[in-house]
Amino acid sequence: MFLYIKYMVSLRCKMVVKEELKKLGLHYVNVDLGTIEILGDITNFQRNALRKNLKRYGLELLDDKRKIIIEKIKSVITEMVHYSDELPKMNYSDYISEKLGYDYTYLANTFSEVKGITIQQFIILHKIERIKELLLYDELNLTEISYLLHYSSVSHLSNQFKKITGLTPSYYKKLKKKRLKNLEDL
């Protein structure tokens, strides 16, 4: 059986969810960003207790099909941009569609209706947050970052970064302040 969790975007979230499952005596096969695969069924009491316990950590157990699809899309994008060593070589639309097993048009329309932005805009926001992280770590230069995140050029990366943040990447790097948004706020 699968359960879906909203706002589950980090390794710390996964640890919290595993601990809460353990407290309730629920055995899991896999805990991924936004998804839990548990062994057997879950009782209404366990479901309600899990919902209540997760809420204390800002996580939400989902039941609505559209919300579940949105969370799956967000999880695929978060994993793709923030936790993969390299972005996929194929179009993001093909990648997301293949990963989730749905037609991309359906996914895109559902996402836009619910979130009010396109999947592409959401990916750009995540890529900008990833660029901020990489700039603050100061391990890669802009050319390497643009290559890693599949920008056609440093100029393209810089223009998109400035459009979203109002700052050039170089100026942002000079500030050296952590300006990372919480992923769940995107």
Side-chain angles (χ1 to χ4, degrees):
M1 168 182 252
F2 286 91
L3 300 174
Y4 300 95
I5 311 287
K6 187 174 184 179
Y7 305 124
M8 190 172 161
V9 296
S10 69
L11 300 176
R12 187 174 297 132
C13 292
K14 287 171 66 170
M15 289 174 22
V16 165
V17 169
K18 287 178 182 178
E19 188 60 37
E20 291 304 323
L21 292 170
K22 189 173 161 184
K23 285 180 189 174
L24 292 170
L26 293 168
H27 302 285
Y28 58 88
V29 176
N30 193 21
V31 175
D32 250 333
L33 295 179
T35 308
I36 306 167
E37 184 179 359
I38 61 169
L39 291 171
D41 289 327
I42 182 171
T43 66
N44 282 337
F45 173 79
Q46 288 172 317
R47 184 181 291 275
N48 290 333
L50 182 60
R51 182 184 317 281
K52 180 183 169 193
N53 294 347
L54 292 177
K55 197 168 195 140
R56 290 186 315 195
Y57 297 100
L59 302 172
E60 183 181 331
L61 188 60
L62 297 174
D63 295 318
D64 178 81
K65 184 181 178 192
R66 287 166 50 100
K67 285 184 180 179
I68 290 169
I69 289 172
I70 298 307
E71 287 308 307
K72 285 181 175 182
I73 295 167
K74 289 169 60 176
S75 291
V76 166
I77 293 168
T78 301
E79 181 117 4
M80 175 180 76
V81 175
H82 296 278
Y83 299 109
S84 295
D85 291 334
E86 190 173 318
L87 294 177
K89 301 275 188 230
M90 64 173 60
N91 289 337
Y92 296 143
S93 57
D94 294 337
Y95 178 79
I96 293 166
S97 180
E98 185 179 299
K99 245 347 205 171
L100 298 178
Y102 287 97
D103 175 67
Y104 184 76
T105 303
Y106 169 73
L107 294 173
N109 289 339
T110 303
F111 191 88
S112 295
E113 287 172 16
V114 174
K115 293 293 290 173
I117 64 171
T118 67
I119 289 175
Q120 188 60 36
Q121 290 168 322
F122 189 77
I123 291 170
I124 290 169
L125 291 173
H126 273 271
K127 286 174 76 172
I128 297 302
E129 290 306 309
R130 182 74 175 128
I131 292 166
K132 289 178 184 180
E133 282 179 50
L134 294 169
L135 288 171
L136 291 174
Y137 294 154
D138 206 20
E139 294 173 359
L140 301 174
N141 63 38
L142 280 178
T143 303
E144 293 166 326
I145 293 171
S146 80
Y147 178 78
L148 178 71
L149 295 177
H150 293 248
Y151 280 93
S152 58
S153 65
V154 172
S155 174
H156 181 220
L157 179 150
S158 296
N159 289 336
Q160 198 169 72
F161 190 91
K162 185 165 184 169
K163 184 177 178 184
I164 301 295
T165 67
L167 305 169
T168 65
S170 302
Y171 184 75
Y172 181 85
K173 192 173 180 177
K174 286 178 189 171
L175 291 178
K176 287 288 185 190
K177 292 180 182 176
K178 293 200 175 194
R179 296 181 176 261
L180 299 176
K181 288 184 182 177
N182 289 329
L183 294 179
E184 57 266 4
D185 293 337
L186 291 177

